Amino acid sequence: MAGHTDNEVMIKAPFDLVWDMTNDLENWPELFSEYASVEVLQRTGDTTTFRLTMHPDEDGKVWSWVSERETARDVRTVWARRVEPGPFAYMNIRWEYEEESEGTRMRWTQDFEMRPEAPVDDPTMTDHINRNSRIQMDLIRDKIEQRARETVGA
């Protein structure tokens, strides 16, 4: 069995601002509440390999992994996968951006499978990712919309 999530948020800001802020990996600890640090390991063209480290969880465990991310601004899509999947057999993520009259719709789809020895199963991780994606997307929306207001007011 595999897990799949599909979440989206409308951000009242132009595509260029949404794209630039959400693809500025070095700034992710300021954009996301869950990431303590990002270390870019390699950049080749539109592909970046990087290490993400989370803040300690409720048990004090710090999760960290290496991911690879390929951006394609012309089709407003990003593809990512975990290179060091940890408790996942695999984890693939797709970010899609769609410009609409009221702003930019950002959509995240994640396809994954947990390893048999992982601390949680696919349905439990699906629920966790869905809950957390909504939290993170709302934070990101608020920060980008604030920046958009500041830019307009400048």
Side-chain angles (χ1 to χ4, degrees):
M1 186 169 149
H4 173 80
T5 65
D6 190 337
N7 292 281
E8 64 181 45
V9 65
M10 173 57 68
I11 303 171
K12 293 177 184 166
F15 165 75
D16 287 333
L17 180 62
V18 175
W19 178 271
D20 291 345
M21 286 184 69
T22 58
N23 287 291
D24 177 5
L25 295 178
E26 289 87 349
N27 195 47
W28 273 14
E30 302 302 318
L31 196 60
F32 290 81
S33 65
E34 61 189 344
Y35 299 139
S37 67
V38 176
E39 176 189 3
V40 172
L41 304 173
Q42 180 180 351
R43 275 200 169 95
T44 306
D46 292 327
T47 302
T48 305
T49 304
F50 58 101
R51 174 171 295 284
L52 271 176
T53 302
M54 298 184 78
H55 293 289
D57 66 16
E58 57 277 353
D59 297 323
K61 176 149 177 59
V62 175
W63 296 91
S64 182
W65 63 90
V66 174
S67 288
E68 183 179 80
R69 186 172 167 86
E70 179 185 355
T71 60
R73 190 179 192 122
D74 59 330
V75 293
R76 299 175 181 197
T77 304
V78 176
W79 299 271
R81 67 181 184 89
R82 284 192 180 197
V83 177
E84 290 178 358
F88 295 92
Y90 64 88
M91 165 62 88
N92 298 312
I93 306 169
R94 181 178 173 121
W95 294 41
E96 296 172 288
Y97 303 80
E98 186 175 336
E99 205 163 12
E100 298 182 9
S101 59
E102 62 268 27
T104 304
R105 184 173 307 280
M106 182 176 69
R107 179 180 179 201
W108 298 343
T109 55
Q110 294 172 269
D111 292 293
F112 61 91
E113 186 173 342
M114 302 308 294
R115 294 183 190 275
E117 68 275 12
V120 297
D121 60 10
D122 293 338
T124 302
M125 183 55 74
T126 299
D127 289 343
H128 172 75
I129 289 172
N130 277 326
R131 273 191 318 276
N132 194 54
S133 290
R134 288 183 198 101
I135 291 166
Q136 297 305 315
M137 287 179 135
D138 287 349
L139 285 169
I140 290 167
R141 178 201 60 219
D142 293 349
K143 289 176 182 179
I144 294 173
E145 288 179 356
Q146 176 63 36
R147 176 79 57 84
R149 286 190 297 274
E150 292 168 354
T151 302
V152 169

